[in-house]
Amino acid sequence: MAINWFKYSAPTTFYGLAGKLIPWFGISAAILFAVGLYIGFFVAPIDYQQGEFYRIIFIHVPASIISMFLYLIMAGYAALGLIFNTRLSSMMATAIAPTGALFAFISLWTGALWGKPMWGAWWVWDARLTSELILLFLYLGYIALHASIDEPRRADRAAALLAIVGSVNVPIIYFSVKWWNTLHQGSTIKFSGTSMHVAMQQAMFITLVACWLYAIAVILARVRSIILERERHTKWITELPEVK
Amino acid sequence: MNGLDIWMRENPIAYVVLGSYAVAFLIFAVEIAMVRHKRKITLQQVHLMRDAGDEE
């Protein structure tokens, strides 16, 4: 049986689908966090150079990866909304921004906590750290710009331009450790392999998936509120069981 | 070395857990609470609008 995926690009059908998916993503995220952190703290060995401090990696790396990917996804949705004038795309971009900003903040915060015992400083104006800070400002700029315009469709268009232009920062973050001499270490996991202990890899991968599932659950919950708010004048909203 | 430097080197696990994971999960909890609050407020607005429409 073929599934018509375009059906779910309309807020009317997506609203119900998102509501069904949220508990699955949320519960899976909680279970995977528990498993990942158990492996990370009780199975993975101590690092011979960094001691116990390296265990920040299990939240720092997933938060950093997700903050970058969410920005690209947000910019992609914003571009779709701008080009095809699709309502749901712009709503998705608006829903992603706060979660992306929080992950960027967690990345910077945990990075500072890691930097202090390793480098002796909470913060250095290193290319990787500075470009990640710019990413946080781009998220905040997107949220502020969107909130400053009353008419939602105009706000979507203005904020979309910022999101698209700002996406140039994401490859800069990723390649910063290769392009410049940075205090921040280079990629530990490469396509050619890794020197990390297998338990460390497992814990990092599981917490990465957990963070993704959490982010999806929260974004879907937020987009449902945005759909309710923007479509409140329509008949299908008044027929919803939670509204009746 | 100041007091915090000495403490973090003596208690690295507490430093990692309280400084990173507790803060991250607190942020997640606040985000979830905000999303739930937003939904509650939006549903109240929709109910008010529907009730106002019924009275007209």
Side-chain angles (χ1 to χ4, degrees):
Chain A
M1 195 179 73
I3 300 170
N4 182 9
W5 292 105
F6 287 106
K7 191 174 91 172
Y8 295 106
S9 62
T12 42
T13 42
F14 187 79
Y15 182 88
L17 176 72
K20 284 177 193 152
L21 292 176
I22 291 164
W24 293 102
F25 283 115
I27 293 163
S28 310
I31 294 167
L32 287 179
F33 267 127
V35 174
L37 293 180
Y38 175 79
I39 297 172
F41 278 89
F42 298 104
V43 181
I46 293 176
D47 185 77
Y48 80 101
Q49 275 184 324
Q50 304 190 23
E52 300 282 6
F53 294 113
Y54 92 93
R55 294 189 203 276
I56 294 176
I57 202 171
F58 306 123
I59 187 73
H60 176 70
V61 171
S64 308
I65 291 172
I66 290 173
S67 69
M68 290 192 287
F69 269 97
L70 279 183
Y71 194 90
L72 290 180
I73 296 167
M74 181 184 82
Y77 271 122
L80 278 175
L82 196 65
I83 297 163
F84 299 109
N85 213 17
T86 45
R87 288 175 297 161
L88 186 61
S89 307
S90 303
M91 292 179 198
M92 281 298 292
T94 313
I96 289 169
T99 303
L102 288 178
F103 273 106
F105 176 79
I106 292 170
S107 163
L108 289 166
W109 177 268
T110 54
L113 262 94
W114 201 354
K116 181 64 178 167
M118 292 302 109
W119 305 334
W122 300 106
W123 180 264
V124 283
W125 290 101
D126 167 286
R128 173 58 72 84
L129 277 69
T130 309
S131 52
E132 182 72 20
L133 182 65
I134 291 169
L135 184 76
L136 174 63
F137 291 156
L138 281 167
Y139 275 123
L140 297 178
Y142 179 92
I143 295 164
L145 180 60
H146 200 281
S148 67
I149 302 170
D150 287 334
E151 210 272 298
R153 302 308 291 270
R154 280 188 61 217
D156 288 341
R157 284 196 293 275
L161 283 175
L162 176 64
I164 294 163
V165 173
S167 60
V168 74
N169 187 47
V170 175
I172 293 175
I173 300 171
Y174 183 76
F175 291 110
S176 58
V177 288
K178 290 180 182 169
W179 291 344
W180 296 287
N181 280 322
T182 59
L183 198 54
H184 193 285
Q185 67 188 63
S187 301
T188 309
I189 297 175
K190 301 172 187 140
F191 288 111
S192 53
T194 177
S195 55
M196 274 177 85
H197 188 278
V198 68
M200 295 177 188
Q201 289 179 54
Q202 284 170 350
M204 205 167 77
F205 178 74
I206 293 169
T207 50
L208 175 64
V209 176
C211 283
W212 264 121
L213 295 173
Y214 164 79
I216 294 168
V218 174
I219 289 164
L220 288 179
R222 191 177 289 116
V223 84
R224 269 165 62 88
S225 290
I226 295 171
I227 291 171
L228 264 181
E229 196 173 31
R230 290 206 194 174
E231 306 266 311
R232 63 184 183 271
H233 301 288
T234 57
K235 193 166 176 288
W236 74 272
I237 288 283
T238 55
E239 289 169 354
L240 287 171
E242 59 264 45
V243 175
K244 272 182 183 170
Chain B
M1 282 215 284
N2 62 29
L4 181 63
D5 280 330
I6 295 165
W7 180 81
M8 76 168 74
R9 287 181 199 290
E10 284 175 354
N11 307 283
I13 287 286
Y15 173 77
V16 168
V17 170
L18 295 175
S20 296
Y21 291 92
V23 171
F25 285 113
L26 182 68
I27 289 171
F28 291 159
V30 170
E31 188 182 21
I32 291 166
M34 284 176 71
V35 166
R36 289 171 71 100
H37 179 71
K38 169 85 177 163
R39 177 162 172 82
K40 198 175 141 194
I41 296 291
T42 314
L43 272 171
Q44 277 176 359
Q45 283 178 345
V46 175
H47 281 137
L48 281 172
M49 278 191 58
R50 190 204 54 194
D51 295 344
D54 289 346
E55 284 170 19
E56 281 173 12

